[in-house]
Amino acid sequence: MKPIRTMKFVSLRTGLSVHTIRVWEKRYGAVRPVRASNNRRLYSEQDVERLGLLQQATAAGHAIGQIARAPLVELRRLVKESSDARPVRRSVSKSAAQDLVPALTTEALAAIEAFDGVALNTLFDRAAAELGSPGVLQKFMAPLAERVGESWRDGAFKIAHEHFATEHISDFLGKFARPYSENVSASHLVVATPTGQLHELGAIIAAAAARSQGWRTTYLGAGLPIHELAGAVRNLQPRAVALSLVFPPNDAELAKDLMKLRKLLPAECALLVGGRSAAGYKEELRKIKAIHVETLAAFYPVLDKLTRTKSQLDCARRRAMV
């Protein structure tokens, strides 16, 4: 069938954002438009119908990764069954809930692109209910934050989109982890991003992850000068400091700041460094004996080890006082 429709037309017809159409096309192979002489994508009526059906099916709870390449007849059947079944909502198994993550992420990116806070908060609540803790952080929030950063770097998102996402994710995680943050005798973690590191979603998620493990946390924000951070640490006396490094991965001034920071921190204060750009400072991290946390999943055992070490140190201090 002759491709005759532009992406803008498809977006208006289906209700899908341009960003979502691109993701479904590139990542999942949902449609294969052709290119016009001016390099614009052109879609057939069959493509338009397919994307419309996929929009309805994912809205009903089907994972885009499982249905993106299904035949049209199968998509029509899924949409009809979903329509007939409303408003009944079936419970979701653990494996099925995990399969929903790609669809939830795609919908969240579309909501961020549209600055739709109501839709975004609804998706967050759904992800938390179906994935639980720490699943919602590891499997949904952390990958979503990375995708937001990628979209900004690729030019698909403006800085306003990232600020919008940061505000809503921060607000949600503050409420989500609140029940875990009341123990004043718990191990204390200070979280920040240093000067030049203005992307704070990773730091916010790390703080929420620590709270979900019973830690007290103090979040000092993005772009904090090293001397300011060190001064706050002297006052707060935390068990550890966590830094998130996202972009750029090769800041010579930041490399110098990391070397300075270790000298300014108390010897007993552990320094944890994560984020997608942390590997770019691997040599500095090795020299200052910082703990490089490569993934959110790896963050939890690091916290557990620091908690056990703190307990052992506290016991040793009490024995010494007897």
Side-chain angles (χ1 to χ4, degrees), residues 255-299:
K256 295 176 184 177
D257 281 346
L258 290 172
M259 301 299 292
K260 291 178 186 176
L261 180 61
R262 180 68 272 179
K263 297 176 182 178
L264 296 172
L265 293 180
E268 65 274 13
C269 180
L271 179 58
L272 318 180
V273 181
R276 65 178 296 140
S277 289
Y281 304 91
K282 187 173 291 186
E283 184 60 23
E284 287 78 16
L285 300 184
R286 183 188 65 78
K287 289 178 179 178
I288 63 176
K289 297 182 179 179
I291 301 172
H292 180 197
V293 183
E294 297 187 21
T295 65
L296 186 60
F299 189 43

XYZ file of all heavy atoms in Angstrom, residues 255-299:
344
model
N 37.466 15.979 37.857
C 38.488 15.008 38.258
C 39.342 15.566 39.396
O 39.655 14.867 40.370
C 39.359 14.640 37.061
N 39.702 16.843 39.297
C 40.481 17.484 40.367
C 39.657 17.593 41.649
O 40.165 17.375 42.761
C 40.931 18.867 39.928
C 41.914 18.870 38.764
C 42.235 20.305 38.333
C 43.140 20.330 37.120
N 43.389 21.719 36.651
N 38.369 17.933 41.496
C 37.499 18.073 42.666
C 37.349 16.757 43.420
O 37.288 16.737 44.657
C 36.123 18.584 42.246
C 36.106 20.075 41.998
O 37.074 20.743 42.398
O 35.123 20.573 41.415
N 37.268 15.661 42.687
C 37.139 14.357 43.339
C 38.372 14.054 44.190
O 38.258 13.504 45.299
C 36.932 13.257 42.293
C 35.587 13.267 41.566
C 35.593 12.256 40.417
C 34.448 12.956 42.533
N 39.539 14.405 43.674
C 40.774 14.193 44.433
C 40.775 15.048 45.699
O 41.206 14.595 46.774
C 41.984 14.523 43.567
C 42.105 13.706 42.296
S 42.275 11.919 42.584
C 43.899 11.879 43.322
N 40.289 16.286 45.588
C 40.223 17.175 46.757
C 39.229 16.657 47.791
O 39.475 16.735 49.001
C 39.796 18.575 46.335
C 40.804 19.339 45.511
C 40.219 20.699 45.125
C 41.127 21.457 44.188
N 40.490 22.735 43.760
N 38.087 16.160 47.316
C 37.003 15.782 48.221
C 37.440 14.735 49.228
O 37.120 14.839 50.415
C 35.801 15.285 47.414
C 34.591 14.853 48.245
C 34.054 16.010 49.078
C 33.500 14.290 47.336
N 38.156 13.754 48.759
C 38.552 12.680 49.684
C 39.396 13.230 50.824
O 39.275 12.770 51.978
C 39.313 11.616 48.922
C 39.803 10.429 49.741
C 38.658 9.556 50.262
N 38.129 9.983 51.554
C 37.129 9.375 52.157
N 36.531 8.322 51.607
N 36.697 9.812 53.327
N 40.224 14.222 50.541
C 41.057 14.817 51.583
C 40.227 15.615 52.579
O 40.616 15.764 53.748
C 42.122 15.721 50.951
C 43.107 14.982 50.058
C 44.076 15.953 49.402
C 45.038 15.223 48.467
N 45.956 16.151 47.772
N 39.099 16.144 52.114
C 38.251 16.971 52.974
C 37.257 16.173 53.800
O 36.744 16.660 54.807
C 37.492 17.994 52.110
C 38.348 19.024 51.375
C 37.489 19.828 50.409
C 39.041 19.949 52.369
N 36.978 14.939 53.378
C 36.005 14.114 54.105
C 36.675 13.406 55.277
O 37.854 13.058 55.213
C 35.404 13.061 53.176
C 34.507 13.553 52.033
C 34.007 12.362 51.218
C 33.338 14.360 52.572
N 35.924 13.148 56.360
C 36.465 12.340 57.461
C 36.863 10.951 56.967
O 36.232 10.412 56.050
C 35.282 12.264 58.445
C 34.416 13.432 58.094
C 34.555 13.631 56.623
N 37.891 10.392 57.537
C 38.401 9.098 57.077
C 37.351 8.006 57.162
O 37.316 7.088 56.333
C 39.633 8.716 57.891
N 36.466 8.082 58.192
C 35.470 7.021 58.382
C 34.243 7.182 57.483
O 33.355 6.321 57.476
C 35.011 6.989 59.850
C 34.260 8.230 60.319
C 35.170 9.338 60.796
O 36.389 9.252 60.548
O 34.653 10.292 61.430
N 34.188 8.259 56.717
C 33.045 8.508 55.832
C 33.312 7.872 54.468
O 34.235 8.257 53.752
C 32.812 10.010 55.675
S 31.419 10.424 54.601
N 32.498 6.887 54.102
C 32.667 6.225 52.815
C 32.198 7.141 51.685
O 31.277 7.942 51.855
C 31.877 4.922 52.787
N 32.838 7.015 50.525
C 32.462 7.805 49.361
C 31.993 6.857 48.262
O 32.750 6.015 47.780
C 33.654 8.638 48.867
C 33.419 9.494 47.627
C 32.279 10.474 47.837
C 34.699 10.233 47.236
N 30.730 6.994 47.865
C 30.128 6.164 46.826
C 29.901 7.034 45.592
O 29.382 8.146 45.698
C 28.791 5.579 47.280
C 28.697 5.037 48.713
C 27.305 4.501 48.996
C 29.743 3.966 48.940
N 30.246 6.510 44.422
C 30.091 7.282 43.186
C 29.432 6.401 42.129
O 29.901 5.295 41.845
C 31.442 7.799 42.661
C 31.230 8.624 41.393
C 32.149 8.635 43.727
N 28.318 6.891 41.568
C 27.619 6.159 40.527
C 27.171 7.084 39.416
O 27.538 8.259 39.382
N 26.370 6.555 38.502
C 25.904 7.326 37.356
C 26.594 6.893 36.081
O 27.678 6.313 36.105
N 25.971 7.195 34.953
C 26.463 6.684 33.674
C 27.846 7.215 33.304
O 28.554 6.609 32.495
C 25.459 6.974 32.554
C 25.251 8.439 32.247
C 24.271 8.601 31.091
N 24.799 8.049 29.870
C 24.083 7.363 28.990
N 22.805 7.141 29.220
N 24.636 6.906 27.883
N 28.274 8.348 33.874
C 29.596 8.901 33.543
C 30.661 8.565 34.575
O 31.814 8.968 34.416
C 29.503 10.427 33.381
O 28.802 10.764 32.204
N 30.295 7.848 35.619
C 31.258 7.557 36.687
C 32.471 6.791 36.169
O 33.602 7.017 36.620
C 30.582 6.777 37.813
N 32.253 5.907 35.192
C 33.365 5.113 34.658
C 34.421 5.999 34.001
O 35.593 5.611 33.901
C 32.835 4.087 33.654
N 34.036 7.196 33.568
C 34.997 8.104 32.965
C 36.004 8.657 33.955
O 37.019 9.244 33.554
N 35.731 8.477 35.250
C 36.628 8.970 36.302
C 37.183 7.794 37.118
O 37.513 7.942 38.285
C 35.886 9.945 37.201
C 35.273 11.097 36.443
C 33.973 11.012 35.951
C 35.994 12.246 36.189
C 33.407 12.050 35.222
C 35.437 13.298 35.466
C 34.141 13.188 34.985
O 33.587 14.209 34.262
N 37.271 6.644 36.470
C 37.659 5.416 37.174
C 39.026 5.528 37.835
O 39.230 5.056 38.957
C 37.645 4.234 36.200
C 37.865 2.894 36.865
C 37.658 1.746 35.879
C 36.209 1.627 35.482
N 35.957 0.433 34.628
N 39.975 6.178 37.172
C 41.311 6.291 37.741
C 41.297 7.149 39.003
O 41.935 6.806 40.014
C 42.276 6.890 36.707
C 43.718 6.977 37.163
C 44.324 5.620 37.507
O 43.811 4.598 37.004
O 45.297 5.595 38.273
N 40.561 8.252 38.963
C 40.444 9.105 40.155
C 39.745 8.351 41.283
O 40.149 8.454 42.454
C 39.671 10.380 39.820
C 40.439 11.391 38.983
C 40.494 11.018 37.513
O 39.694 10.163 37.083
O 41.326 11.590 36.797
N 38.705 7.609 40.947
C 37.970 6.861 41.971
C 38.863 5.811 42.621
O 38.779 5.571 43.835
C 36.732 6.201 41.361
C 35.698 7.139 40.727
C 34.479 6.345 40.263
C 35.285 8.231 41.706
N 39.724 5.199 41.821
C 40.652 4.208 42.369
C 41.636 4.868 43.332
O 41.893 4.352 44.420
C 41.409 3.523 41.231
C 42.355 2.410 41.697
C 43.218 1.916 40.556
N 44.125 2.959 40.069
C 45.253 3.310 40.687
N 45.625 2.720 41.821
N 46.026 4.261 40.174
N 42.156 6.032 42.948
C 43.148 6.706 43.779
C 42.572 7.155 45.120
O 43.270 7.141 46.143
C 43.725 7.912 43.031
C 44.636 7.539 41.863
C 45.134 8.787 41.150
C 46.051 8.431 39.995
N 46.507 9.645 39.257
N 41.322 7.586 45.124
C 40.732 8.079 46.375
C 39.975 6.984 47.117
O 39.326 7.239 48.126
C 39.806 9.281 46.115
C 38.617 8.874 45.242
C 40.574 10.425 45.470
C 37.617 9.993 45.020
N 40.046 5.748 46.590
C 39.421 4.580 47.208
C 37.910 4.772 47.384
O 37.321 4.376 48.392
C 40.079 4.265 48.559
C 41.557 3.893 48.430
C 42.174 3.538 49.767
C 43.641 3.159 49.590
N 44.290 2.819 50.881
N 37.315 5.395 46.373
C 35.857 5.519 46.361
C 35.245 4.206 45.883
O 35.874 3.431 45.163
C 35.427 6.658 45.433
N 34.018 3.950 46.285
C 33.297 2.755 45.852
C 32.511 3.105 44.596
O 31.609 3.943 44.629
C 32.344 2.249 46.950
C 33.135 1.917 48.214
C 31.567 1.027 46.469
C 32.249 1.597 49.420
N 32.866 2.502 43.480
C 32.176 2.748 42.215
C 30.934 1.854 42.161
O 31.042 0.638 42.086
C 33.108 2.459 41.043
C 32.466 2.695 39.704
N 32.977 2.185 38.532
C 31.334 3.384 39.360
C 32.205 2.552 37.525
N 31.203 3.266 37.997
N 29.766 2.458 42.196
C 28.498 1.719 42.153
C 27.988 1.782 40.718
O 27.521 2.826 40.252
C 27.470 2.327 43.120
C 26.192 1.507 43.102
C 28.039 2.409 44.527
N 28.081 0.660 40.016
C 27.802 0.670 38.582
C 26.316 0.632 38.253
O 25.902 1.136 37.204
C 28.523 -0.500 37.906
C 30.042 -0.411 38.025
C 30.750 -1.475 37.223
O 30.137 -2.011 36.277
O 31.906 -1.779 37.542
N 25.499 0.015 39.101
C 24.063 -0.078 38.848
C 23.305 0.129 40.147
O 23.873 0.012 41.246
C 23.677 -1.450 38.276
O 23.934 -2.464 39.261
C 24.458 -1.761 37.001
N 22.017 0.404 40.020
C 21.200 0.543 41.217
C 21.121 -0.774 41.973
O 21.120 -0.796 43.208
C 19.789 1.024 40.838
C 18.864 1.362 42.011
C 19.446 2.474 42.865
C 17.475 1.751 41.499
N 21.069 -1.879 41.240
C 21.038 -3.192 41.898
C 22.278 -3.418 42.742
O 22.221 -4.052 43.809
C 20.893 -4.297 40.846
N 23.419 -2.896 42.305
C 24.671 -3.054 43.059
C 24.735 -2.126 44.259
O 25.578 -2.309 45.150
C 25.865 -2.790 42.138
N 23.860 -1.140 44.290
C 23.846 -0.158 45.376
C 23.421 -0.794 46.698
O 23.959 -0.478 47.764
C 22.896 0.977 44.982
C 22.920 2.183 45.876
C 24.112 2.715 46.345
C 21.740 2.808 46.242
C 24.128 3.843 47.145
C 21.736 3.931 47.044
C 22.937 4.458 47.499
